[in-house]
Amino acid sequence: MSARCVMVLGTTSGAGKSWLTTALCRHYARQGLKVAPFKAQNMSNNARVVDGGEIGSAQYFQALAAQAEPEVRMNPLLLKPEADTRSQVVLMGQVNEALSSMPWRGRSLHVWPQIAAALDALMDENDVVVIEGAGSPAEINLHASDIVNMRVALHANARCLLVSDIDRGGAFAHLYGTWALLPAEERALIHGFVLNKFRGDASLLAPAPQMLQDLTGVPTVATLPMWWQHGLPEEDGVFDDKTRAAGAVSKTIAVIAYPRISNLDEFQPLKNVPGVRLVWARTPADCAGADWIVLPGSKATAADLAWLRAQGLDRAIATHAAQGGAVLGVCGGLQMLGEALIDTYGIEPMDLGNAPGLGLLPLVTQFDPQKTVRHTHTAFGALHGAWAALSGVAAAGYEIHHGQTAQHPAMAAGGDVAREVLPGGLGWQNAQGNVLGVYLHGLFEDPRVLHALFGATAPTLETVFNGLADFITTHFEPGVLDQLIAP
């Protein structure tokens, strides 16, 4: 195994592991090295289509940053939460029903061989593998069944960075406590502490970094300033309530933030469009004054639809549509906009699959055991009304869904017909022209769609990746990044 392995661990979820891993991937790739990302297990409803199935969105972006083709070995185990105590398990890109029904702790024995094999293969084929951990490595209740943090670090003999979010407070205690709870052989793999999201004068941190090094033998190798707009989506579905429009607000877009929202990362480009303000809506008040209301994807469509009704958001959406306001449904959001959800096979969790929809499109969705996972290149047909700017626009994206949606036969016979605006049953528009539903994820990541809707462009991913690499090059102690991959 030839690769040198660098691993990014965190004292908590949301400490900054994912974007730092992405930055390291681009940093080492810019040195002409062959680089691959790896995360043994990711729990997220943000997923992307790759050859062989689906992986977590973070590893997809990390692969692009590494200038590598994203593939299932980079995230061999993906857990997609469907309820507080249930997740759909995706192993090597494919849904595994047996593992999905297995108790949490019982999975480790079954999945570790595939995880280790995937990591070994990437190490054999690359110069550097940048590994991301999950949560904290010091979750001592889970340590015996660990398959994502220190077991991976030991297997790869990785040089580890431990990151803490100093903006939350208690960062030095988090770093010391995490280090102290690890066994000696695992502590030996920690090569540096990183303080993330720092505001103010870094010189005021003294003498704490040196005191921490005296206690642990581990230096603080970087103090990273707070950076609100690095350009990457949030890995853990953390909603950025501080989103601000660039310049004067000309359009407010409210995205319904139901509990099992999926693929919310596809809306990241909207944050970078001048004049657009993105709002994560959890109450009817959050939708007040919105120009668009967007119903995003969902990992539990019927359950999220029930939640939406319980919040009174169904009435807010209906009122907005009745007044001519633009409504967009994406994947699960499209399904909610129809007349009914039918779940003959019990695909949806908690037996909620059979339910009435919002009735804004004359469509019916049936959930199928066969999951559609694919890249899609298509073009819009003729649209009118609020979405007319998309007429004839070519678009590329991806599909991840169990539902199959079609016209409601009785309503079609009565003359209430939805216009099919994407071929193959991928998109419909209502007769009035203000409600649009599509199965295609990633629309706003397509510059052709952004330009058609807003007359603007957002920063490219290449710009984002290079900005991340420049940032860590500036703020890490000199020589540290090279030392992490030194023989």
Side-chain angles (χ1 to χ4, degrees), residues 51-207:
D51 187 25
E54 54 183 312
I55 63 173
S57 292
Q59 283 64 64
Y60 176 87
F61 288 120
Q62 288 161 4
L64 297 182
Q67 300 175 336
E69 183 69 25
E71 51 153 306
V72 295
R73 294 182 301 178
M74 295 169 177
N75 176 209
L77 190 65
L78 175 63
L79 307 180
K80 306 186 79 172
E82 296 176 325
D84 288 346
T85 57
R86 172 184 167 82
S87 294
Q88 183 183 67
V89 177
V90 179
L91 180 64
M92 296 302 289
Q94 299 296 314
V95 175
N96 189 304
E97 294 295 347
L99 290 173
S100 298
S101 60
M102 188 177 293
W104 177 287
R105 296 176 191 273
R107 293 180 190 143
S108 300
L109 182 65
H110 296 272
V111 299
W112 176 251
Q114 291 96 322
I115 289 171
L119 177 55
D120 288 344
L122 291 175
M123 291 169 65
D124 283 339
E125 298 168 15
N126 292 276
D127 300 314
V128 177
V129 176
V130 185
I131 305 170
E132 181 185 343
S136 162
E139 303 287 1
I140 54 178
N141 56 315
L142 301 175
H143 193 272
S145 56
D146 172 41
I147 54 169
V148 64
N149 285 310
M150 300 315 294
R151 186 171 184 179
V152 171
L154 289 167
H155 185 85
N157 192 27
R159 294 176 180 176
C160 300
L161 297 171
L162 182 60
V163 186
S164 187
D165 178 355
I166 196 170
D167 192 52
R168 296 184 181 186
F172 293 107
H174 286 165
L175 290 167
Y176 179 74
T178 301
W179 176 89
L181 285 172
L182 297 177
E185 63 175 347
E186 296 176 5
R187 290 181 192 171
L189 298 178
I190 307 296
H191 283 246
F193 295 138
V194 176
L195 296 169
N196 188 29
K197 301 183 184 178
F198 180 73
R199 314 183 202 218
D201 181 359
S203 67
L204 298 178
L205 294 172

Side-chain angles (χ1 to χ4, degrees), residues 370-435:
Q370 185 66 36
K371 191 175 189 180
T372 299
V373 180
R374 64 190 176 199
H375 290 287
T376 301
H377 296 266
T378 187
F380 284 94
L383 289 90
H384 63 286
W387 304 102
L390 291 174
S391 294
V393 174
Y398 58 100
E399 298 174 61
I400 304 178
H401 56 92
H402 281 285
Q404 302 297 325
T405 302
Q407 290 271 3
H408 188 293
M411 300 192 78
D416 187 3
V417 178
R419 297 161 52 92
E420 188 172 351
V421 295
L422 283 174
L426 293 182
W428 290 269
Q429 183 182 34
N430 68 342
Q432 291 74 29
N434 63 320
V435 179

Side-chain angles (χ1 to χ4, degrees), residues 287-306:
C287 298
D291 298 286
W292 295 4
I293 293 180
V294 178
L295 282 71
S298 168
K299 191 63 193 71
T301 304
D304 277 344
L305 180 56

Side-chain angles (χ1 to χ4, degrees), residues 271-399:
K271 297 182 180 181
N272 302 318
V273 174
V276 170
R277 183 168 71 101
L278 192 65
V279 175
W280 300 108
R282 302 175 181 84
T283 68
D286 295 332
C287 298
D291 298 286
W292 295 4
I293 293 180
V294 178
L295 282 71
S298 168
K299 191 63 193 71
T301 304
D304 277 344
L305 180 56
W307 173 88
L308 184 152
R309 284 195 166 104
Q311 311 310 308
L313 283 161
D314 57 334
R315 297 186 296 276
I317 295 166
T319 299
H320 177 81
Q323 295 173 347
V327 177
L328 173 65
V330 180
C331 196
L334 158 65
Q335 296 165 357
M336 293 181 193
L337 290 175
E339 293 292 336
L341 306 175
I342 300 174
D343 189 15
T344 306
Y345 300 97
I347 304 301
E348 284 281 290
M350 299 184 291
D351 298 322
L352 291 171
N354 297 298
L358 298 175
L360 296 181
L361 288 171
L363 305 171
V364 173
T365 295
Q366 295 198 31
F367 294 106
D368 192 292
Q370 185 66 36
K371 191 175 189 180
T372 299
V373 180
R374 64 190 176 199
H375 290 287
T376 301
H377 296 266
T378 187
F380 284 94
L383 289 90
H384 63 286
W387 304 102
L390 291 174
S391 294
V393 174
Y398 58 100
E399 298 174 61

Side-chain angles (χ1 to χ4, degrees), residues 13-35:
S13 293
K17 296 184 293 292
S18 295
W19 80 260
L20 181 53
T21 301
T22 308
L24 290 168
C25 283
R26 175 49 57 99
H27 172 82
Y28 291 125
R30 291 203 302 195
Q31 297 184 29
L33 299 168
K34 188 177 182 184
V35 182

